[in-house]
Amino acid sequence: MKNLKKQRRIQVIALAAVALVLSTVLIGYAMRDGINFFRAPTQILAEPPAPSEVFRIGGLVQEGSIVRGQGETIRFSVTDGNGVVPVTYTGVLPDLFEENQGMVGTGRYINGTFEATEILAKHDETYMPAEVVDALKEQGVYKGTEG
């Protein structure tokens, strides 16, 4: 009788371990496309990502770089002070998107141009995404107020 209880307990523990491993694998598989890493322009130029990799870029919109094309396609450049990456975006830009302001875009780096699928801009005069601030501080370009 004791042997049967011990065997049953081992089976339950083994089944629980298998279920835990399986659920971890399934969660990781489901999240593989939902994780987007952040990169500054200097990092992108130093180590260009694969064209299939979706990631976020952030920095300041370079002054004089916004070119509105035909239709809804917009071209501009993003800089962190050391590197400049050209960006194309098809769609409607946020109202607060402008030159010399912080932005974060999601997309792919293809043939030397970041093709954005989403553009986010600051939401008031003092806000800048934390990733952009960190990248600009690393380059020694950030001129914001500490607080």
Side-chain angles (χ1 to χ4, degrees):
M1 189 77 164
K2 286 186 178 185
N3 243 357
L4 187 59
K5 283 185 177 183
K6 187 175 184 179
Q7 186 178 6
R8 186 64 74 189
R9 190 177 306 139
I10 290 172
Q11 288 174 345
V12 169
I13 290 172
L15 184 62
V18 168
L20 181 64
V21 168
L22 183 63
S23 64
T24 303
V25 168
L26 288 174
I27 289 170
Y29 181 76
M31 290 181 66
R32 77 189 188 292
D33 290 333
I35 298 173
N36 297 324
F37 294 103
F38 175 85
R39 291 193 172 95
T42 303
Q43 294 170 324
I44 294 168
L45 296 173
E47 294 180 33
S52 61
E53 182 182 349
V54 175
F55 65 96
R56 295 185 308 157
I57 186 174
L60 300 175
V61 178
Q62 189 175 37
E63 189 170 348
S65 69
I66 298 177
V67 177
R68 300 190 187 274
Q70 294 180 335
E72 294 181 346
T73 301
I74 294 104
R75 297 180 185 280
F76 59 93
S77 296
V78 175
T79 183
D80 60 2
N82 289 335
V84 177
V85 174
V87 177
T88 60
Y89 176 67
T90 301
V92 179
L93 289 169
D95 290 337
L96 297 172
F97 181 87
E98 58 188 52
E99 295 174 350
N100 288 325
Q101 297 298 325
M103 62 75 60
V104 174
T106 303
R108 301 173 201 268
Y109 189 66
I110 301 172
N111 296 326
T113 301
F114 183 77
E115 296 180 3
T117 56
E118 179 183 24
I119 298 288
L120 303 173
K122 66 176 190 140
H123 71 276
D124 68 19
E125 295 82 32
T126 58
Y127 175 77
M128 191 177 297
E131 295 96 342
V132 174
V133 172
D134 292 342
L136 292 175
K137 281 182 181 176
E138 188 175 301
Q139 300 299 324
V141 177
Y142 184 68
K143 301 174 197 163
T145 58
E146 298 293 324

